[in-house]
Amino acid sequence: MTDISLTHITSTAVFSILAAVVSAFLIHWALYAVALRVVRRRMDPVLLPAIFQPTRWLVVLLALGAGLQPLDMGRRVEGLWSIGSKMVFALLVGWLLLRLMRATRVMIERGADINAEDNLKARKRHTRVRILYRIAQSIVAVLVIAMMLMAIPGVRTIGVTLAASAGLVGLAVGAAAQPALKNLIAGIQMAFSEPIRLDDVVIVEGEWGRIEDITLTYVVVRIWDDRRMVVPVSYFLEKPFQNWTTRTSDLLGTVFLYVDPTADIERIRTRFVEAVQANARWDGRVAILQVTDHRADALELRGLLSARNAGIAFDLRCEVREAMLTFLRTDMPEALVRGRQRVEAGEGFARPDFPSLDAAATRPSGAAG
């Protein structure tokens, strides 16, 4: 009789669990299909696919708990189920929050096209949302771990025991983690002060590059030759560096020419302006040539030209410099720098004692010369 009752209880429990799980799957699938159809008519459904898996297993966990509620599983099994279900619930909630934050970040980044020509506002938004997203990730991870540990009674007891020495432990951990905390705080500050943004053109440690990625503790700078420089976040708050795209990506470039002091500067200036204006990379703002230095053997000419961004400005400088050198070589060779030396007769100059041509002509053949 006991075996029959145990078999009956076991079969009832299995049937209850299966019914709860199947019902949860069906209810979740139906609600998701309806919500997806409603949202798709109004906007791009990004959030719903992101939360599909976490919400499905949350519904299953809740349904499983409801299905096991009327069953008498014994004190030991009920205790294990209580601890395990709380830990899994905390894990699923954390998973759901992370997927929600990721979907939100994707929606914000889609609304700000960083590939546009004037992308300053887009880069600001991308930088801020990426830093805040990683800060939120860290906070959620810590909270989930704390909730999972709090579900275990033994861990709570150990925590109370260690509370007396929490001051010493806090000092030790703080001293050991000082560099990490320093960069973490700097990352939070950077999210709002924005000394740098994604895709900014910077010069760091003498290297020209673009900001490729910003994390909570370090920044990746992609150098012009595809090397990567990894710099602590605190560097950009403590040390000076050049940012060429703080307000706008427009940039002035320079071209230096060195010509003879007697060169026709106005003719060179006219040709310089024509070369800049004829180049498709010029943005139409600045094209001037000035004499910036006078040396004994040459004049220094500095040409200023403008472009939409640093990359275009570099190419424009190279092409205009090449055009000007070709012009000087072919049309104004007299303007190229020449070395001069003036020799005055009788001023430290001794004429070499060479035999005259007439004497050489009257010398007998075969004589030693």
Side-chain angles (χ1 to χ4, degrees):
M1 187 71 179
T2 304
D3 294 339
I4 296 175
S5 60
L6 287 175
T7 304
H8 177 70
I9 293 174
T10 304
S11 60
T12 302
V14 171
F15 178 79
S16 176
I17 293 172
L18 288 177
V21 171
V22 172
S23 300
F25 273 106
L26 292 176
I27 293 173
H28 179 268
W29 177 81
L31 292 175
Y32 179 79
V34 173
L36 189 63
R37 180 171 297 181
V38 172
V39 172
R40 188 175 292 173
R41 295 175 182 176
R42 301 180 180 180
M43 60 181 180
D44 184 18
V46 178
L47 283 175
L48 289 179
I51 66 175
F52 176 77
Q53 293 291 345
T55 53
R56 181 173 67 176
W57 293 110
L58 271 173
V59 172
V60 170
L61 180 64
L62 295 176
L64 192 59
L68 294 176
Q69 188 69 28
L71 300 179
D72 185 10
M73 299 180 293
R75 182 174 298 178
R76 181 179 179 82
V77 176
E78 288 181 354
L80 292 175
W81 165 253
S82 176
I83 295 174
S85 61
K86 290 177 181 178
M87 294 180 68
V88 173
F89 179 77
L91 190 63
L92 291 176
V93 170
W95 186 19
L96 176 61
L97 290 176
L98 290 175
R99 296 297 293 268
L100 279 172
M101 291 188 302
R102 184 177 180 181
T104 304
R105 192 196 78 174
V106 170
M107 289 191 300
I108 294 174
E109 290 181 348
R110 283 184 180 180
D113 185 11
I114 201 172
N115 296 318
E117 185 67 33
D118 185 10
N119 61 356
L120 181 61
K121 292 183 179 180
R123 289 189 291 110
K124 283 184 177 181
R125 188 174 298 179
H126 276 250
T127 302
R128 183 168 296 178
V129 72
R130 186 168 296 189
I131 295 177
L132 294 178
Y133 169 69
R134 284 174 176 160
I135 293 173
Q137 273 186 316
S138 303
I139 295 174
V140 169
V142 171
L143 291 178
V144 168
I145 294 174
M147 290 174 63
M148 293 178 67
L149 293 177
M150 288 176 61
I152 306 174
V155 173
R156 288 201 300 264
T157 305
I158 295 174
V160 173
T161 305
L162 294 176
S165 57
L168 296 176
V169 174
L171 291 175
V173 173
Q178 183 179 1
L181 292 175
K182 178 181 178 181
N183 286 319
L184 179 61
I185 295 173
I188 298 173
Q189 184 178 351
M190 186 176 293
F192 297 96
S193 60
E194 293 183 342
I196 57 172
R197 293 173 294 270
L198 290 174
D199 205 42
D200 266 351
V201 177
V202 296
I203 295 182
V204 180
E205 299 294 324
E207 297 283 359
W208 185 98
R210 291 181 179 271
I211 303 297
E212 186 176 52
D213 193 15
I214 302 175
T215 69
L216 289 181
T217 55
Y218 64 88
V219 176
V220 179
V221 182
R222 180 178 179 178
I223 303 175
W224 65 272
D225 56 359
D226 281 344
R227 290 178 294 150
R228 265 65 173 182
M229 180 185 293
V230 180
V231 186
V233 170
S234 58
Y235 178 96
F236 295 94
L237 298 176
E238 297 175 354
K239 296 184 179 181
F241 65 96
Q242 294 186 38
N243 189 336
W244 292 7
T245 52
T246 301
R247 298 293 180 186
T248 176
S249 60
D250 296 342
L251 198 67
L252 291 178
T254 57
V255 174
F256 286 95
L257 300 172
Y258 296 91
V259 300
D260 192 84
T262 62
D264 186 354
I265 304 301
E266 191 59 36
R267 184 180 175 189
I268 298 175
R269 179 181 292 113
T270 302
R271 182 67 185 91
F272 175 83
V273 174
E274 291 175 354
V276 174
Q277 293 177 347
N279 196 299
R281 304 180 190 275
W282 184 54
D283 65 356
R285 292 189 299 123
V286 179
I288 59 174
L289 184 74
Q290 296 172 313
V291 179
T292 54
D293 196 7
H294 179 202
R295 303 175 185 174
D297 58 342
L299 296 178
E300 181 186 79
L301 308 182
R302 186 188 69 176
L304 286 180
L305 38 79
S306 59
R308 292 189 299 275
N309 56 56
I312 296 177
F314 180 82
D315 294 335
L316 177 61
R317 291 169 58 200
C318 294
E319 293 173 7
V320 171
R321 186 185 297 113
E322 181 180 347
M324 292 304 299
L325 291 176
T326 301
F327 167 74
L328 293 176
R329 185 178 64 253
T330 57
D331 295 357
M332 292 185 65
E334 70 278 4
L336 298 175
V337 177
R338 292 172 289 177
R340 291 178 172 84
Q341 184 175 2
R342 183 175 181 178
V343 179
E344 295 287 347
E347 294 185 3
F349 178 77
R351 181 178 179 182
D353 188 13
F354 289 118
S356 64
L357 294 178
D358 296 336
T362 57
R363 181 176 300 167
S365 59

